[in-house]
Amino acid sequence: MDVLDFIIEGAAHWPISPARGEIASAFVITAETAADVPAREALLDRAMGQKRRKKSSEKLRRGRRPSEGLAFVARDASDAVTGTVRLWDVVLGEGGRSALLLGPLAVDPTIKNAGIGSALMRHAIAEAARLGHAAILLVGDAPYYQRFGFSAEKTGSLAMPGPYERHRLLALELVEGVLAGAQGTLKAAGRKLKAQRLPLAA
């Protein structure tokens, strides 16, 4: 069944099949809100550790907002945040075409094999396509992401701004052929975070 079949009033509902020793439950995917930020950051720390802030992908996210309408969380029956994924606007090389950078994708490490990560990926890809984006890139393990159509086939002439493993730079074309001839280093684009004003001295 296609991911879009699960979209109900802006939220995607996904059943979780009970694994051995687990109780069957369900989760819902919704747009991330400002109130979700502390829970999202805590989840990312648990799932990825503090070193996540030093990754090359973070250089493209720092000081930016996610692409409009492309930040999602998964919630369990108690409304707790159990997963997160966001997509970011980038440009492929100097004066190149626009694309999205996906990440980080993370699920609460206490929940294994529940399908939350896959559901978040499919939801994010479907929404990116619906909003008219042409391509999504990410840095990750090909054996996991190839199930969603990602590969390194068309990223050989692209590069991240900092250290990374070339074989882990993957892409998915939402519009066929859009990455043909794409080259250069990815650059941050899109909306910047507003600088917080410092209080004036008395």
Side-chain angles (χ1 to χ4, degrees):
M1 185 175 290
D2 191 274
V3 64
L4 294 176
D5 295 335
F6 287 93
I7 308 302
I8 303 173
E9 295 181 0
H13 296 260
W14 300 84
I16 299 177
S17 300
R20 194 177 306 168
E22 292 181 357
I23 299 173
S25 58
F27 59 93
V28 60
I29 297 175
T30 64
E32 181 186 286
T33 69
D36 295 322
V37 172
R40 180 200 71 214
E41 290 300 301
L43 185 154
L44 288 171
D45 285 341
R46 292 195 305 274
M48 309 180 80
Q50 295 294 325
K51 290 184 179 179
R52 68 185 176 87
R53 293 181 173 86
K54 298 181 179 179
K55 294 185 176 182
S56 294
S57 297
E58 185 62 26
K59 293 181 180 179
L60 293 168
R61 298 190 285 259
R62 193 171 297 132
R64 301 278 176 171
R65 294 180 181 275
S67 187
E68 186 73 38
L70 292 174
F72 307 104
V73 294
R75 307 177 192 279
D76 64 14
S78 66
D79 208 37
V81 173
T82 56
T84 174
V85 68
R86 290 178 289 168
L87 295 96
W88 310 78
D89 295 302
V90 294
V91 173
L92 307 180
E94 196 66 44
R97 63 201 66 177
S98 299
L100 294 170
L101 179 71
L102 185 146
L105 168 71
V107 174
D108 190 320
T110 63
I111 305 173
K112 295 182 179 180
N113 302 317
I116 296 174
S118 293
L120 281 166
M121 281 296 298
R122 292 192 173 96
H123 185 75
I125 292 168
E127 282 297 287
R130 186 183 69 80
L131 291 171
H133 293 281
I136 303 174
L137 289 88
L138 59 81
V139 179
D141 296 328
Y144 178 80
Y145 289 105
Q146 66 186 9
R147 75 186 74 176
F148 309 108
F150 286 84
S151 76
E153 181 183 343
K154 298 184 179 177
T155 61
S157 297
L158 295 168
M160 294 291 290
Y164 73 103
E165 296 173 275
R166 178 167 291 281
H167 68 278
R168 286 168 53 82
L169 180 58
L170 312 176
L172 168 67
E173 288 185 332
L174 300 175
V175 175
E176 187 174 355
V178 73
L179 294 179
Q183 59 184 339
T185 300
L186 274 64
K187 299 182 183 301
R191 305 173 300 162
K192 291 185 178 181
L193 288 171
K194 294 180 180 177
Q196 293 185 348
R197 294 181 179 177
L198 296 175
L200 297 174

